[in-house]
Amino acid sequence: MENYWESWYVSYVNYGYLQKYKGVVPQPNGNWGAQLYTNNQRIWLGTFTSEIDAAIAYDRASMKFRGVDAPRNLPLTKSTLLEASFQSYYSIETILGMIKYGSYQAKFEGYQRVLKADKESDIKVVAQGLANDEVVLSIYDPQGRLWEFRYCYWKSSKSFVFTRGWNLFVKDKKLMPKDKIIFYFQENLEMQNMGFWVIDTCKSSSHIGLSLKLSVKQEEEESLKDDKMDVEMIQTSNVKIQGLKLFGVQIIG
DNA sequence: CTTTGTGTTGAG
DNA sequence: TCAACACAAAGG
């Protein structure tokens, strides 16, 4: 355009446009820019053709930088949890690159496909009854590997614990104190009752993993190498659950 | 020439 | 921390 001040952008702003989305700024040529401020610094997320795309870009970046609780433009959905898990596999730089150059959506969908592919075999969460209050939980990790944990209540310590199988998981995932563990139910969109449970881990450095936050009790931190680990449930999410009891709390979808 | 996104400012 | 504004750098 020949004159900046006669652009669409300026009239748009001057005639009462109200900011619809956080982090979204109109560009002189009609496109939309997305930006996020953090740590006294502006992170440019790229330019987009539509306003809504810019808003989504902001949401994705906001989640990566500040966790699933972060302020966002579009409301949280069921897949948001999955998205947090998805993001945890990539660095901030990588996620920003995906947002900026448009590969984010495809990557995320690919991630969901991988999770869903595992249900083809007889994938279902199985909680086999053992003696007393013990059960065996069969849960898949995001890579499709099956994990089995014995889970029971210990009267001596009045706590719910994972016993057999947990040690192996901790070692394999290189879990450290303060790391978070996410449990979520992956539904099968085509067939009902064909979903399965997934257990995923989150580095403590990121702030992802709101749904079921498990914190290792301070005094237990050194016992990570033991075959037991005391866990405490902080809060539940709205994840759909089929009558499973975890950590003494009945969770029903 | 077009588009991006940085420099900068003032409000909240 | 944020959007608005102005414009220089980057891209084709």
Side-chain angles (χ1 to χ4, degrees), chain A residues 184-243:
Chain A
Y184 59 86
F185 189 74
Q186 174 61 44
E187 290 186 303
N188 183 327
L189 300 180
E190 283 107 48
M191 272 170 289
Q192 299 236 315
N193 302 321
M194 280 297 286
F196 54 95
W197 282 92
V198 180
I199 181 172
D200 199 358
T201 58
C202 237
K203 295 294 181 185
S204 61
S205 54
S206 70
H207 306 291
I208 299 170
L210 231 221
S211 75
L212 285 172
K213 244 189 253 170
L214 308 179
S215 74
V216 181
K217 281 186 178 173
Q218 211 66 23
E219 62 270 23
E220 297 275 344
E221 288 187 7
E222 272 70 46
S223 69
L224 279 174
K225 287 169 187 165
D226 295 356
D227 64 344
K228 62 182 183 291
M229 183 153 122
D230 197 359
V231 292
E232 171 186 274
M233 192 169 93
I234 293 179
Q235 68 175 278
T236 66
S237 74
N238 57 357
V239 178
K240 185 177 175 185
I241 295 189
Q242 303 175 330

Side-chain angles (χ1 to χ4, degrees), chain A residues 16-167:
Chain A
Y17 167 68
L18 295 178
Q19 192 77 22
K20 280 197 188 109
Y21 300 110
K22 209 170 172 56
V24 175
V25 293
Q27 290 294 90
N29 60 358
N31 287 344
W32 301 87
Q35 58 186 11
L36 170 78
Y37 286 85
T38 185
N39 198 187
N40 251 336
Q41 184 182 359
R42 172 172 52 194
I43 308 292
W44 186 254
L45 305 173
T47 57
F48 303 84
T49 304
S50 73
E51 191 177 9
I52 192 74
D53 283 341
I56 290 171
Y58 175 90
D59 286 357
R60 290 168 173 170
S62 184
M63 173 180 270
K64 181 60 180 174
F65 277 91
R66 320 189 266 216
V68 287
D69 270 344
R72 57 191 295 112
N73 291 304
L74 307 186
L76 292 159
T77 68
K78 199 186 296 179
S79 75
T80 304
L81 243 192
L82 267 186
E83 192 167 340
S85 168
F86 161 72
Q87 287 192 350
S88 72
Y89 287 96
Y90 301 92
S91 67
I92 285 178
E93 290 69 29
T94 304
I95 290 292
L96 287 179
M98 294 192 294
I99 291 173
K100 198 163 171 179
Y101 301 109
S103 62
Y104 187 101
Q105 188 64 32
K107 286 268 180 57
F108 181 41
E109 285 171 2
Y111 176 74
Q112 289 174 290
R113 242 193 310 287
V114 168
L115 289 184
K116 209 152 67 168
D118 294 330
K119 106 267 174 186
E120 285 168 5
S121 36
D122 56 328
I123 297 177
K124 248 191 172 179
V125 166
V126 179
Q128 299 166 354
L130 295 178
N132 302 326
D133 291 330
E134 297 184 355
V135 293
V136 170
L137 301 177
S138 298
I139 308 181
Y140 292 81
D141 67 15
Q143 289 73 40
R145 189 166 160 197
L146 178 63
W147 296 88
E148 297 197 327
F149 307 116
R150 179 169 294 186
Y151 170 67
C152 61
Y153 179 73
W154 280 8
K155 290 172 185 170
S156 57
S157 58
K158 291 182 180 176
S159 56
F160 292 87
V161 298
F162 279 154
T163 55
R164 187 171 279 82
W166 184 249
N167 183 29

